[in-house]
Amino acid sequence: PAYVVSRIGLLLIGYASMLIVPLRSSDVPWQFLPNDPMIDGFVRWDSGWYRTIVSWGYYYESLNHENIHFFPVYSLLVGGLMTVVPGSLNPDAAFAYAAVFVSHAAFYAGLAGVCTLMLLKSDRTAARRCVWLMSLFPYSFFFSAAYTESTYLAFAVWAFVHAERGQWARASLLAALASGTRIPGLFVGVSIGVIYFAQRRSGTSASRKEGLWLLA
C-alpha cells in the first residue's frame, strides 16, 4: 500500500506540475517524452548520461563531455529491458519507459527488503512505519526517476538481509551488484564483512569457508 499510494501520488504531482509550468526546450539538457507529461518529469539530467551508456557504451572526449564516472549496472538492466520493448517505439521513448520501469520495480523490491530487514530486527509495526516513511519522504521522488537510487537501495538492503540470515553467497553477490551501481555500494561489502566477523565472534553459523564469498 505504501508503494502504490506514494508512486501514484508522485505521478499525479509530476503530471500536474508539467501542465502548470511547462518546460521550454532550453530548460533541461535532455527531454525524452515531450508528449507524455506523466512520465517525462522522471527522466531528467543524469538520465541522459545513462542513455548514452546504453546506446554507445563508455567514452571520454573531454572533462565536459564524458560518461565514464557513471557505474554500469543500472544501464545494463535498462538496456536489457529495452531489448523486449517494441521496435516501433522511438529509441529515446523506449529508454525512458524502460528506465522508469526499472526504477519503480527496484524501489518495490527495495521496500520489500526494508520490511524484511526490519522484521528481523524489530516487529511488524516498526516495519510498516519504516516502509511508509521511506515512501512518503519528499526525496523518495528520486526512487522513481531514471536514476540509480532505487536499484542501489534494492541491492544494498537485500545484501544486509541475507547477511543477517548468514546466506553469504547471496549477500556477497548483491553487495557486488550494489558496488557496480553507485559509489556508496563499495562500502556495502565492507559492512557485511563486519556482520560476518561479528557472527563468527558470537559463535553463530558463519564459517571460514563461507567467508571466501566476501573475498570473491
Side-chain angles (χ1 to χ4, degrees):
Y3 171 84
V4 172
V5 169
S6 64
R7 297 311 98 179
I8 290 178
L10 274 178
L11 286 172
L12 294 177
I13 291 171
Y15 178 73
S17 68
M18 295 288 285
L19 294 182
I20 296 170
V21 189
L23 293 172
R24 301 184 302 271
S25 59
S26 60
D27 287 338
V28 289
W30 315 95
Q31 189 172 19
F32 294 96
L33 297 168
N35 298 319
D36 187 354
M38 181 71 76
I39 304 296
D40 188 45
F42 292 90
V43 193
R44 284 286 182 272
W45 301 104
D46 285 349
S47 304
W49 291 113
Y50 292 110
R51 172 75 170 104
T52 66
I53 296 171
V54 171
S55 299
W56 309 301
Y58 287 100
Y59 61 83
Y60 179 89
E61 295 178 7
S62 68
L63 289 176
N64 295 322
H65 193 63
E66 46 86 13
N67 62 10
I68 58 175
H69 57 287
F70 292 96
F71 283 35
V73 170
Y74 180 72
S75 298
L76 287 171
L77 292 174
V78 174
L81 183 59
M82 286 178 66
T83 62
V84 299
V85 173
S88 58
L89 199 62
N90 177 280
D92 283 343
F95 166 80
Y97 288 124
V100 171
F101 179 85
V102 167
S103 293
H104 276 79
F107 184 51
Y108 184 88
L111 286 179
V114 168
C115 183
T116 304
L117 186 61
M118 286 300 298
L119 290 174
L120 293 174
K121 295 291 188 179
S122 186
D123 57 25
R124 186 168 295 276
T125 300
R128 185 182 298 112
R129 183 181 298 118
C130 186
V131 167
W132 274 101
L133 289 173
M134 283 199 68
S135 299
L136 297 178
F137 181 66
Y139 286 112
S140 72
F141 164 87
F142 291 100
F143 290 128
S144 292
Y147 294 160
T148 57
E149 274 78 355
S150 57
T151 308
Y152 168 72
L153 171 68
F155 289 142
V157 72
W158 279 106
F160 286 115
V161 168
H162 290 299
E164 291 289 343
R165 291 172 171 173
Q167 299 168 328
W168 298 106
R170 296 178 183 180
S172 300
L173 174 61
L174 289 164
L177 290 170
S179 70
T181 305
R182 289 182 64 83
I183 289 177
L186 298 173
F187 299 97
V188 175
V190 176
S191 301
I192 66 171
V194 172
I195 298 173
Y196 168 79
F197 285 109
Q199 289 189 11
R200 281 189 58 83
R201 288 192 63 181
S202 63
T204 53
S205 59
S207 68
R208 184 174 299 177
K209 182 178 180 181
E210 287 175 315
L212 294 176
W213 283 105
L214 298 176
L215 294 176

